[in-house]
Amino acid sequence: MKNRINNNGITAIYVRRSVSDKDKGNNSLSIQAQKEECIRFVGDDEYKLYCDDGKSGKDVEHRPQFQMMMQDARDGVISRIIVKKYDRFSRNMREYLNITDELDRYGVTVFSLSEPFNTETKEGRMMRNNLLNFAEFERETIAARVADAFSTKARETGFYQGGKVQFGYVPERRTINGKIGSVLVPSENAEAVRVAYELYQHPQNSLQYLVNYFAESDINCTRPAPRTKTGISNLDRSHLSRILENPLYVRADAEVYRYFLSKGYEILDDVEAYDGVHGIFLHKEKDGSKFVKVAFHEGLVDADVWLAVQDRKAHQHKFPSNGTAMTSWLVGMVKCAYCGYAMHFEYGKNKAGTKIYPRFVDYGKFTVNGCSTPPIKMRPKTVEDAVFKAMKERLNQLEIAKHESEKPDAETESVKTEILHIDDEIQKLLEKLSDADAVLFDYIQKRVNALHEQKSELEKKLQVKSRKMKKIDTQPLQEPMSRWDELTVFEKHEIAVSMIEVVRISDETGIEIVFSI
């Protein structure tokens, strides 16, 4: 097909101004200034104006007027395009060349009022391409500078840095410590956040239960659309899940400080800043690392409730997306006792092909090394019955423990004793520092650092253990367990994952259940 040459079309005037141009206060690149200069150049010739205000030059995909102009070029409506500068057209060199190649096929030329060279010559095209290379470099530099500035501000201040609308809050300009910035204040949706956390900390309440609850309640749970005040939809499961893991809402105290410490995040504030009042901003760096900053806004959820929800979510398992998801309420929790890989639930047939029955398939057998054990004969129903019996026994044990005098368990006492031994060793090493030579000093310093890390891990273990013991409430589990046969597979699964860490099985060793409560 021959290229179409357009000699009869009208002139297109394309003007664009990005948000960064507005921030720079560059009046020469204002929409009005570009229009006037281009129209003066066109004179009495017929023209059509295309205007993209507030649109970035990094691509053309998100510029509706540019797309309309390109369609007019394809349809033979225009014969040339006038711009103030070539970077108004595009700042992406590769994209610019692709577009101009396409326009060349339609016989449409691009003319700049600011760059004094003729692009019909090879020298002019070289000059144009060099200028666009610099424009692309400038765009990337500005983007990097903005990202660095955002990270710096996020580290230095507890102000809200903007971005997506945070459910339950609205930003408000305030002056704090002599600086002006945006602070999040509770919105009309704040009560929905509090109720969601309060309900979800109890194992019997699933995400779907929350969705149904809000659908029937009078609590305002309409999500605001980004950058507008118009509601777009009510809370759904995925949005609720994100809300329930966001530290933005916690009234962060020392326990929350220790929680983030155990996660390995960079913590910018001392533990004293975790006052049980203010929320937390969790930021992600370019390299994937995360840091937390105490915010200026007040949290909506008490620390113990927020931590209870995090403990629950940490043990949640999702049903697989395949067709066997509803085969058993133990899906995602059963593993081979030998290789550690997941046991999947599938349906098998007898040799005659007349009877279909559920069975386990060890996915460790499909790995490179492969699980060496024979195919497991144990049936899912056998495991389900054993696990359900163990769950009831576990609840009874916890109920009995409530009525006994509170005394630390053996594991807790062992950890505390180990911490005391570490403290004693650290003290003895520090006493030797004053008489140590350079070699011994270096050894002592390294040993003390290693001991401190070991102590920190043990303290994290104690904190998690004490928090779990403090929050265990068997009452919400007793009721659904008493009507187990009436529950759906999904409801059974939700209760199981709130109590169980993993179930390991084999024909030789039987069934091992590791509880998380």
Side-chain angles (χ1 to χ4, degrees):
M1 178 179 177
K2 294 183 178 180
N3 294 335
R4 177 175 41 164
I5 304 300
N6 184 356
N7 296 318
N8 302 317
I10 63 175
T11 297
I13 294 176
Y14 180 71
V15 295
R16 178 185 65 81
R17 192 184 194 195
S18 66
V19 175
S20 61
D21 291 328
K22 295 179 182 179
D23 294 340
K24 293 175 188 175
N26 192 339
N27 292 327
S28 68
L29 290 179
S30 70
I31 292 295
Q32 189 60 32
Q34 291 181 62
K35 285 181 183 178
E36 291 175 357
E37 193 168 348
C38 289
I39 290 172
R40 277 198 304 271
F41 177 83
V42 172
D44 296 330
D45 291 348
E46 184 182 0
Y47 68 87
K48 184 175 181 180
L49 183 65
Y50 303 85
C51 174
D52 281 316
D53 195 6
K55 303 296 182 182
S56 171
K58 67 179 181 180
D59 61 53
V60 298
E61 182 181 346
H62 299 96
R63 288 190 262 158
Q65 287 290 300
F66 190 93
Q67 295 291 349
M68 185 182 297
M69 180 178 67
M70 289 298 296
Q71 187 58 51
D72 285 345
R74 297 183 190 102
D75 295 340
V77 176
I78 59 177
S79 59
R80 64 171 177 169
I81 300 172
I82 307 297
V83 292
K84 163 72 175 176
K85 296 176 65 177
Y86 280 120
D87 65 5
R88 300 300 90 192
F89 196 68
S90 176
R91 285 193 175 192
N92 184 311
M93 183 62 183
R94 182 184 297 276
E95 186 174 60
Y96 179 88
L97 293 175
N98 290 337
I99 292 169
T100 51
D101 282 345
E102 182 180 356
L103 290 173
D104 285 344
R105 294 199 299 272
Y106 305 144
V108 178
T109 59
V110 181
F111 186 83
S112 166
L113 303 184
S114 302
E115 284 85 17
F117 44 80
N118 183 4
T119 57
E120 293 180 356
T121 66
K122 60 183 180 181
E123 293 82 4
R125 289 192 292 272
M126 181 186 71
M127 289 293 295
R128 175 199 63 189
N129 294 347
N130 285 337
L131 283 173
L132 284 170
N133 274 324
F134 280 112
E136 184 172 20
F137 174 76
E138 180 190 21
R139 178 182 62 80
E140 293 174 352
T141 302
I142 291 172
R145 193 180 300 126
V146 169
D148 290 341
F150 178 90
S151 179
T152 300
K153 288 182 179 179
R155 286 176 170 274
E156 293 177 350
T157 177
F159 285 121
Y160 171 59
Q161 299 301 313
K164 65 180 180 181
V165 178
Q166 299 293 342
F167 184 83
Y169 288 107
V170 291
E172 185 178 285
R173 300 292 287 179
R174 290 186 179 180
T175 301
I176 298 179
N177 299 330
K179 295 182 179 180
I180 301 176
S182 293
V183 176
L184 297 176
V185 296
S187 70
E188 58 185 4
N189 303 122
E191 184 61 21
V193 175
R194 297 189 186 98
V195 171
Y197 272 91
E198 186 61 37
L199 291 175
Y200 196 71
Q201 68 174 319
H202 303 299
Q204 78 273 20
N205 295 332
S206 65
L207 286 175
Q208 188 58 50
Y209 173 84
L210 265 63
V211 172
N212 297 338
Y213 177 88
F214 285 123
E216 298 172 0
S217 73
D218 296 329
I219 299 174
N220 190 321
C221 57
T222 302
R223 290 190 286 144
R227 307 184 191 282
T228 76
K229 296 181 180 179
T230 305
I232 55 173
S233 67
N234 288 336
L235 291 173
D236 53 32
R237 285 168 58 96
S238 61
H239 198 74
L240 274 167
S241 182
R242 291 193 294 273
I243 289 173
L244 291 170
E245 60 191 24
N246 195 336
L248 185 82
Y249 304 109
V250 65
R251 298 172 68 87
D253 62 5
E255 288 289 314
V256 175
Y257 174 87
R258 295 185 183 96
Y259 170 81
F260 285 120
L261 198 66
S262 69
K263 300 285 283 185
Y265 299 159
E266 181 184 0
I267 301 178
L268 302 183
D269 304 284
D270 295 331
V271 67
E272 289 77 13
Y274 289 71
D275 54 8
V277 176
H278 294 93
I280 296 292
F281 286 129
L282 175 61
H283 296 286
K284 189 174 182 179
E285 297 279 39
K286 293 179 183 177
D287 60 2
S289 62
K290 297 178 180 178
F291 66 89
V292 291
K293 175 69 181 175
V294 176
F296 288 143
H297 72 268
E298 292 189 11
L300 301 175
V301 182
D302 289 339
D304 58 342
V305 175
W306 189 85
L307 288 167
V309 169
Q310 304 320 301
D311 282 341
R312 182 182 175 190
K313 288 184 72 65
H315 292 100
Q316 287 288 1
H317 300 259
K318 294 181 179 179
F319 281 114
S321 58
N322 56 39
T324 65
M326 303 304 289
T327 306
S328 169
W329 50 270
L330 288 176
V331 165
M333 295 159 52
V334 183
K335 294 186 178 181
C336 173
Y338 288 100
C339 66
Y341 278 87
M343 287 287 192
H344 285 233
F345 294 79
E346 293 185 0
Y347 285 104
K349 292 183 180 181
N350 60 10
K351 292 183 179 179
T354 58
K355 186 177 180 180
I356 299 176
Y357 57 89
R359 64 177 181 179
F360 287 115
V361 175
D362 183 358
Y363 266 54
K365 295 187 180 299
F366 303 103
T367 60
V368 176
N369 296 325
C371 185
S372 59
T373 60
I376 191 164
K377 298 178 181 178
M378 193 180 302
R379 294 286 178 250
K381 184 65 168 63
T382 303
V383 180
E384 286 181 343
D385 292 343
V387 172
F388 177 60
K389 181 180 178 182
M391 288 166 63
K392 290 196 296 184
E393 291 175 354
R394 180 62 176 168
L395 287 181
N396 289 335
Q397 291 171 0
L398 293 172
E399 195 64 30
I400 293 171
K402 279 185 183 180
H403 304 293
E404 294 181 352
S405 58
E406 259 192 273
K407 43 187 178 183
D409 61 277
E411 184 183 2
T412 300
E413 285 298 294
S414 174
V415 173
K416 287 183 176 179
T417 301
E418 196 171 348
I419 290 175
L420 287 176
H421 289 160
I422 290 174
D423 284 335
D424 185 53
E425 185 178 350
I426 290 174
Q427 185 60 37
K428 289 177 180 178
L429 288 169
L430 293 176
E431 290 173 358
K432 296 178 181 180
L433 276 178
S434 58
D435 300 324
D437 58 19
V439 176
L440 183 57
F441 183 91
D442 185 54
Y443 167 78
I444 291 175
Q445 190 176 37
K446 289 180 180 179
R447 178 59 181 161
V448 168
N449 288 338
L451 289 170
H452 272 300
E453 289 181 8
Q454 187 179 348
K455 179 183 175 182
S456 176
E457 289 300 317
L458 292 171
E459 287 177 337
K460 292 176 196 173
K461 188 175 181 180
L462 276 183
Q463 289 295 333
V464 172
K465 188 173 181 63
S466 65
R467 192 166 68 241
K468 286 181 179 179
M469 292 302 295
K470 182 171 62 178
K471 291 301 299 179
I472 289 176
D473 181 10
T474 60
Q475 191 58 40
L477 293 170
Q478 295 284 4
E479 191 277 328
M481 289 283 285
S482 67
R483 53 182 184 86
W484 187 255
D485 292 338
E486 301 173 14
L487 303 180
T488 65
V489 176
F490 184 82
E491 289 170 334
K492 291 177 181 179
H493 178 79
E494 288 279 289
I495 294 173
V497 296
S498 70
M499 296 179 62
I500 298 171
E501 185 75 39
V502 66
V503 178
R504 300 188 182 95
I505 64 170
S506 80
D507 289 328
E508 287 75 21
T509 60
I511 302 170
E512 177 196 0
I513 303 168
V514 180
F515 286 96
S516 59
I517 62 172

